Amino acid sequence: MNNETLIRAARAARSRAYAPYSKFLVGAALLTEDGTLFTGANIENASYGMTVCAERTAVWNAIHAGHRKFKSIAVAADCSPPPSPCGACRQVLWELAGNIDVIMGNLADETEKMTLLELLAKPFGTENWAENPVSRELEASEDLWRIPVSFHPVGYVVNDYNVPQTIPDNYKELLSKIIIDADMEEGLYRLDEEKNIIVISHLHKAAGYTLKDKRSGRGNEVYGVFACRAPLRPNAIAQSVVELVDIDRNILTVKGLDLINGTPVLDLKTDYRNK
Ligand code: THU
Protein backbone atom coordinates (compact mmCIF):
# COMPACT_ATOMS: atom_id res chain seq x y z
CA MET A 1 0.00 0.00 0.00
CA ASN A 2 1.48 3.35 -0.96
CA ASN A 3 1.50 6.51 1.11
CA GLU A 4 -1.20 8.16 -0.96
CA THR A 5 -3.60 5.33 -0.23
CA LEU A 6 -2.68 5.50 3.44
CA ILE A 7 -3.45 9.23 3.57
CA ARG A 8 -6.78 8.63 1.86
CA ALA A 9 -7.68 6.09 4.54
CA ALA A 10 -6.67 8.58 7.26
CA ARG A 11 -8.84 11.27 5.66
CA ALA A 12 -11.79 8.89 5.50
CA ALA A 13 -11.25 7.93 9.15
CA ARG A 14 -11.82 11.59 10.12
CA SER A 15 -15.53 11.04 9.52
CA ARG A 16 -15.66 8.83 12.62
CA ALA A 17 -14.15 11.47 14.91
CA TYR A 18 -16.05 12.53 18.04
CA ALA A 19 -14.86 16.13 18.37
CA PRO A 20 -17.82 18.29 19.51
CA TYR A 21 -15.54 20.59 21.54
CA SER A 22 -12.63 21.44 19.22
CA LYS A 23 -14.56 20.60 16.03
CA PHE A 24 -11.12 19.68 14.67
CA LEU A 25 -11.47 16.28 13.03
CA VAL A 26 -8.35 14.14 12.82
CA GLY A 27 -8.00 10.75 11.19
CA ALA A 28 -5.17 8.24 11.33
CA ALA A 29 -4.35 5.08 9.39
CA LEU A 30 -1.76 2.66 10.75
CA LEU A 31 -0.22 0.07 8.44
CA THR A 32 1.10 -3.21 9.84
CA GLU A 33 4.09 -5.01 8.40
CA ASP A 34 1.83 -7.66 6.88
CA GLY A 35 -0.20 -5.00 5.05
CA THR A 36 -3.25 -4.78 7.35
CA LEU A 37 -4.73 -1.35 7.90
CA PHE A 38 -6.14 0.03 11.16
CA THR A 39 -7.77 3.42 11.41
CA GLY A 40 -8.58 5.79 14.23
CA ALA A 41 -10.05 9.24 14.84
CA ASN A 42 -9.91 11.64 17.76
CA ILE A 43 -12.44 10.96 20.53
CA GLU A 44 -12.99 13.92 22.84
CA ASN A 45 -14.57 14.21 26.27
CA ALA A 46 -16.37 16.88 28.29
CA SER A 47 -13.48 16.43 30.73
CA TYR A 48 -11.10 17.73 28.06
CA GLY A 49 -7.97 15.99 29.31
CA MET A 50 -9.56 12.59 28.68
CA THR A 51 -9.51 13.20 24.91
CA VAL A 52 -7.67 10.58 22.86
CA CYS A 53 -6.03 11.51 19.58
CA ALA A 54 -6.63 9.79 16.26
CA GLU A 55 -3.16 8.22 16.23
CA ARG A 56 -3.59 6.54 19.59
CA THR A 57 -7.06 5.32 18.69
CA ALA A 58 -5.53 3.62 15.63
CA VAL A 59 -2.74 2.11 17.75
CA TRP A 60 -5.21 0.75 20.34
CA ASN A 61 -7.27 -0.78 17.50
CA ALA A 62 -4.28 -2.52 15.96
CA ILE A 63 -2.74 -3.73 19.22
CA HIS A 64 -6.02 -5.12 20.41
CA ALA A 65 -6.49 -6.94 17.12
CA GLY A 66 -3.22 -8.72 17.89
CA HIS A 67 -0.71 -6.76 15.77
CA ARG A 68 2.72 -5.77 17.05
CA LYS A 69 4.72 -4.93 13.91
CA PHE A 70 4.13 -1.71 12.02
CA LYS A 71 5.43 0.04 8.95
CA SER A 72 3.87 3.47 8.80
CA ILE A 73 1.10 5.73 10.00
CA ALA A 74 -0.76 8.49 8.15
CA VAL A 75 -2.43 11.40 9.95
CA ALA A 76 -4.85 13.74 8.25
CA ALA A 77 -6.71 16.90 9.22
CA ASP A 78 -8.07 20.04 7.60
CA CYS A 79 -5.12 22.33 8.32
CA SER A 80 -2.05 23.66 6.59
CA PRO A 81 0.69 22.66 7.11
CA PRO A 82 -0.61 19.12 7.72
CA PRO A 83 -0.99 18.01 11.37
CA SER A 84 1.94 16.42 13.13
CA PRO A 85 1.32 13.97 15.97
CA CYS A 86 1.30 15.43 19.48
CA GLY A 87 4.05 14.53 21.94
CA ALA A 88 1.92 11.95 23.77
CA CYS A 89 1.18 10.10 20.52
CA ARG A 90 4.83 10.14 19.51
CA GLN A 91 5.71 8.51 22.83
CA VAL A 92 3.01 5.84 22.43
CA LEU A 93 3.98 5.17 18.80
CA TRP A 94 7.63 4.80 19.80
CA GLU A 95 6.86 2.15 22.40
CA LEU A 96 4.31 0.19 20.39
CA ALA A 97 5.33 0.74 16.76
CA GLY A 98 9.00 1.79 16.85
CA ASN A 99 10.70 3.95 14.27
CA ILE A 100 7.95 3.90 11.63
CA ASP A 101 7.32 6.38 8.82
CA VAL A 102 4.86 9.13 9.68
CA ILE A 103 2.97 10.61 6.75
CA MET A 104 1.11 13.83 7.47
CA GLY A 105 -1.53 15.07 5.07
CA ASN A 106 -4.39 17.53 4.69
CA LEU A 107 -7.45 18.00 2.48
CA ALA A 108 -5.48 20.16 0.05
CA ASP A 109 -3.19 17.24 -0.84
CA GLU A 110 -0.18 18.68 0.97
CA THR A 111 1.88 15.88 2.49
CA GLU A 112 5.01 15.55 4.54
CA LYS A 113 6.90 12.42 5.56
CA MET A 114 9.20 11.98 8.56
CA THR A 115 10.40 9.05 10.59
CA LEU A 116 9.17 8.77 14.17
CA LEU A 117 12.71 9.27 15.48
CA GLU A 118 12.95 12.51 13.53
CA LEU A 119 9.80 13.64 15.33
CA LEU A 120 10.92 12.23 18.69
CA ALA A 121 14.66 12.74 18.67
CA LYS A 122 15.52 11.42 22.14
CA PRO A 123 12.79 8.94 23.01
CA PHE A 124 12.07 7.79 26.54
CA GLY A 125 11.89 4.04 27.02
CA THR A 126 12.42 1.33 29.60
CA GLU A 127 16.19 1.49 29.05
CA ASN A 128 16.06 4.79 30.93
CA TRP A 129 14.99 3.15 34.18
CA ALA A 130 15.10 -0.65 34.01
CA GLU A 131 18.65 -0.90 35.31
CA ASN A 132 18.55 2.09 37.57
CA PRO A 133 17.43 0.96 41.01
CA VAL A 134 16.87 3.54 43.75
CA SER A 135 20.09 3.89 45.69
CA ARG A 136 20.53 4.25 49.46
CA GLU A 137 23.00 7.02 48.74
CA LEU A 138 20.17 9.21 47.52
CA GLU A 139 18.47 9.13 50.90
CA ALA A 140 21.62 10.39 52.62
CA SER A 141 22.35 13.00 49.99
CA GLU A 142 23.71 16.31 51.16
CA ASP A 143 21.54 17.93 48.52
CA LEU A 144 18.27 17.08 50.27
CA TRP A 145 18.14 20.56 51.76
CA ARG A 146 17.61 21.91 48.23
CA ILE A 147 14.08 20.53 47.99
CA PRO A 148 11.62 23.44 48.24
CA VAL A 149 9.55 23.56 51.41
CA SER A 150 5.96 24.71 51.67
CA PHE A 151 4.19 26.18 54.67
CA HIS A 152 0.56 26.25 55.68
CA PRO A 153 -0.55 29.60 57.11
CA VAL A 154 -2.14 29.43 60.57
CA GLY A 155 -3.99 32.74 60.22
CA TYR A 156 -4.01 36.18 58.67
CA VAL A 157 -3.75 39.87 59.41
CA VAL A 158 -6.70 42.26 59.44
CA ASN A 159 -6.17 46.03 59.32
CA ASP A 160 -6.84 49.00 57.04
CA TYR A 161 -3.64 48.82 54.99
CA ASN A 162 -4.11 47.08 51.71
CA VAL A 163 -0.86 47.87 49.91
CA PRO A 164 2.62 47.93 51.45
CA GLN A 165 3.03 51.66 50.73
CA THR A 166 -0.04 52.52 52.85
CA ILE A 167 1.43 51.30 56.15
CA PRO A 168 1.75 54.60 58.08
CA ASP A 169 5.09 55.67 59.56
CA ASN A 170 3.56 55.56 63.03
CA TYR A 171 2.57 51.88 62.64
CA LYS A 172 4.17 51.18 66.03
CA GLU A 173 1.20 52.95 67.64
CA LEU A 174 -1.50 51.28 65.53
CA LEU A 175 -3.68 48.28 66.20
CA SER A 176 -4.14 45.25 63.92
CA LYS A 177 -5.95 42.00 64.39
CA ILE A 178 -4.51 38.56 63.76
CA ILE A 179 -7.15 35.92 63.12
CA ILE A 180 -5.85 32.45 63.89
CA ASP A 181 -7.53 29.44 62.27
CA ALA A 182 -10.34 28.47 64.70
CA ASP A 183 -9.11 24.86 64.64
CA MET A 184 -5.80 26.04 66.14
CA GLU A 185 -7.25 28.11 68.97
CA GLU A 186 -5.93 25.68 71.56
CA GLY A 187 -2.41 26.57 70.46
CA LEU A 188 -2.96 30.06 71.93
CA TYR A 189 -3.31 28.68 75.48
CA ARG A 190 -1.42 30.96 77.96
CA LEU A 191 -0.33 33.35 75.23
CA ASP A 192 -2.10 36.06 77.27
CA GLU A 193 0.78 35.84 79.79
CA GLU A 194 3.03 37.50 77.21
CA LYS A 195 3.65 41.17 76.67
CA ASN A 196 5.30 40.87 73.27
CA ILE A 197 4.99 38.23 70.62
CA ILE A 198 6.88 37.46 67.43
CA VAL A 199 4.78 37.12 64.29
CA ILE A 200 6.29 35.14 61.41
CA SER A 201 4.48 35.86 58.18
CA HIS A 202 4.61 35.48 54.44
CA LEU A 203 4.93 38.75 52.52
CA HIS A 204 2.47 37.58 49.89
CA LYS A 205 2.64 40.75 47.79
CA ALA A 206 6.44 40.86 47.59
CA ALA A 207 8.00 39.80 44.28
CA GLY A 208 11.64 39.56 43.28
CA TYR A 209 14.77 40.51 45.18
CA THR A 210 18.36 41.56 44.75
CA LEU A 211 21.23 40.05 46.72
CA LYS A 212 23.09 43.35 47.06
CA ASP A 213 21.50 46.74 46.66
CA LYS A 214 20.87 50.19 48.08
CA ARG A 215 18.61 49.77 51.11
CA SER A 216 16.18 52.59 51.82
CA GLY A 217 15.82 51.45 55.43
CA ARG A 218 19.58 51.88 55.95
CA GLY A 219 20.26 55.38 54.66
CA ASN A 220 20.27 54.22 51.03
CA GLU A 221 23.61 52.49 51.55
CA VAL A 222 24.46 49.20 49.86
CA TYR A 223 23.88 46.08 51.97
CA GLY A 224 23.45 42.39 51.19
CA VAL A 225 19.88 41.12 51.50
CA PHE A 226 20.89 39.00 54.50
CA ALA A 227 22.36 42.06 56.19
CA CYS A 228 19.17 44.11 56.24
CA ARG A 229 15.41 43.81 56.76
CA ALA A 230 14.38 44.53 53.13
CA PRO A 231 10.97 43.00 52.35
CA LEU A 232 12.15 41.72 48.93
CA ARG A 233 14.02 38.57 49.92
CA PRO A 234 14.80 35.09 48.51
CA ASN A 235 12.00 33.83 50.75
CA ALA A 236 9.34 36.44 51.43
CA ILE A 237 9.25 35.74 55.16
CA ALA A 238 8.87 38.49 57.73
CA GLN A 239 9.41 38.59 61.48
CA SER A 240 7.57 41.30 63.38
CA VAL A 241 7.63 41.93 67.11
CA VAL A 242 4.32 43.28 68.40
CA GLU A 243 2.68 44.10 71.69
CA LEU A 244 -0.18 41.77 72.56
CA VAL A 245 -3.17 43.94 73.55
CA ASP A 246 -6.00 41.42 73.73
CA ILE A 247 -7.02 37.85 72.90
CA ASP A 248 -10.65 36.99 72.24
CA ARG A 249 -10.79 33.27 71.47
CA ASN A 250 -8.87 32.98 68.19
CA ILE A 251 -8.66 36.72 67.52
CA LEU A 252 -5.62 38.63 68.72
CA THR A 253 -5.40 42.41 68.88
CA VAL A 254 -1.81 43.54 68.54
CA LYS A 255 -0.03 46.87 68.47
CA GLY A 256 2.84 47.72 66.16
CA LEU A 257 2.36 45.27 63.30
CA ASP A 258 4.02 46.38 60.03
CA LEU A 259 2.07 44.01 57.76
CA ILE A 260 -0.72 44.70 55.28
CA ASN A 261 -4.29 43.46 55.45
CA GLY A 262 -4.59 39.79 54.46
CA THR A 263 -0.95 38.86 55.10
CA PRO A 264 -0.79 35.10 55.81
CA VAL A 265 0.61 34.38 59.27
CA LEU A 266 2.85 31.32 59.41
CA ASP A 267 3.63 31.18 63.11
CA LEU A 268 3.52 33.00 66.43
CA LYS A 269 6.26 32.76 69.02
CA THR A 270 6.69 34.30 72.40
CA ASP A 271 9.37 36.90 72.87
CA TYR A 272 10.22 35.81 76.42
CA ARG A 273 13.87 36.80 76.12
CA ASN A 274 12.79 40.45 75.73
CA LYS A 275 10.30 40.61 78.59
N1 THU B 1 -5.56 15.65 17.91
C1 THU B 1 -5.32 14.45 17.31
O1 THU B 1 -6.25 13.63 17.12
N2 THU B 1 -4.04 14.15 16.89
C2 THU B 1 -2.99 14.97 17.02
O2 THU B 1 -1.87 14.62 16.71
C3 THU B 1 -3.19 16.33 17.61
C4 THU B 1 -4.53 16.61 18.19
C5 THU B 1 -6.92 15.98 18.32
C6 THU B 1 -7.14 15.95 19.82
C7 THU B 1 -8.32 16.89 19.97
O3 THU B 1 -9.51 16.17 19.82
C8 THU B 1 -8.19 17.86 18.82
O4 THU B 1 -7.24 17.29 17.92
C9 THU B 1 -7.74 19.25 19.22
O5 THU B 1 -6.59 19.18 19.99
Side-chain angles (χ1 to χ4, degrees):
M1 184 179 297
N2 63 28
N3 291 343
E4 200 186 310
T5 315
L6 203 59
I7 285 282
R8 287 174 66 172
R11 277 202 227 167
R14 286 177 70 239
S15 64
R16 301 265 171 87
Y18 172 74
Y21 307 106
S22 74
K23 300 189 169 53
F24 183 63
L25 313 187
V26 187
L30 178 63
L31 187 63
T32 67
E33 264 187 15
D34 66 12
T36 317
L37 191 66
F38 290 90
T39 55
N42 49 329
I43 301 175
E44 299 187 342
N45 195 276
S47 175
Y48 290 5
M50 301 296 102
T51 293
V52 180
C53 297
E55 299 88 323
R56 272 175 286 160
T57 311
V59 172
W60 307 155
N61 266 337
I63 294 289
H64 191 252
H67 291 265
R68 287 297 172 88
K69 295 202 159 128
F70 302 98
K71 246 163 96 176
S72 51
I73 188 169
V75 197
D78 187 10
C79 58
S80 181
S84 61
C86 78
C89 287
R90 295 175 198 200
Q91 175 67 24
V92 166
L93 283 166
W94 170 249
E95 176 144 348
L96 293 169
N99 191 23
I100 57 172
D101 283 337
V102 180
I103 301 110
M104 299 156 271
N106 62 17
L107 306 191
D109 285 332
E110 289 176 282
T111 58
E112 197 177 344
K113 191 178 103 176
M114 290 175 82
T115 65
L116 190 66
L117 278 181
E118 283 169 339
L119 288 166
L120 187 69
K122 263 175 81 71
F124 178 79
T126 54
E127 66 281 5
N128 294 82
W129 51 263
E131 290 177 30
N132 188 16
V134 177
S135 78
R136 287 262 131 209
E137 262 169 59
L138 200 60
E139 284 168 30
S141 162
E142 274 184 27
D143 282 335
L144 284 185
W145 68 272
R146 294 181 188 278
I147 298 172
V149 288
S150 64
F151 292 109
H152 301 262
V154 298
Y156 61 101
V157 171
V158 175
N159 60 26
D160 293 332
Y161 321 120
N162 287 303
V163 283
Q165 292 75 19
T166 58
I167 295 178
D169 289 342
N170 66 335
Y171 71 87
K172 290 213 164 101
E173 308 304 321
L174 301 174
L175 298 180
S176 292
K177 291 206 185 307
I178 296 175
I179 318 291
I180 296 298
D181 183 343
D183 292 344
M184 296 197 175
E185 187 184 325
E186 220 178 328
L188 299 170
Y189 180 59
R190 296 186 72 170
L191 184 65
D192 55 2
E193 294 173 13
E194 301 300 320
K195 183 172 185 297
N196 294 320
I197 56 173
I198 298 168
V199 180
I200 308 290
S201 63
H202 169 48
L203 301 169
H204 64 314
K205 298 275 164 106
Y209 66 93
T210 49
L211 286 174
K212 203 172 154 194
D213 217 333
K214 285 186 185 165
R215 307 298 180 183
S216 55
R218 308 205 54 181
N220 240 10
E221 287 191 36
V222 175
Y223 282 90
V225 71
F226 301 128
C228 68
R229 295 177 54 89
L232 300 181
R233 329 186 54 79
N235 289 298
I237 289 173
Q239 168 177 308
S240 317
V241 180
V242 295
E243 188 184 319
L244 181 60
V245 177
D246 181 54
I247 303 184
D248 179 13
R249 300 183 50 188
N250 62 323
I251 301 175
L252 318 187
T253 303
V254 299
K255 190 171 164 187
L257 192 63
D258 55 350
L259 301 171
I260 61 171
N261 189 42
T263 300
V265 172
L266 302 178
D267 202 2
L268 300 177
K269 296 166 191 281
T270 56
D271 190 25
Y272 63 87
R273 285 178 303 185
N274 281 322
K275 259 202 167 134

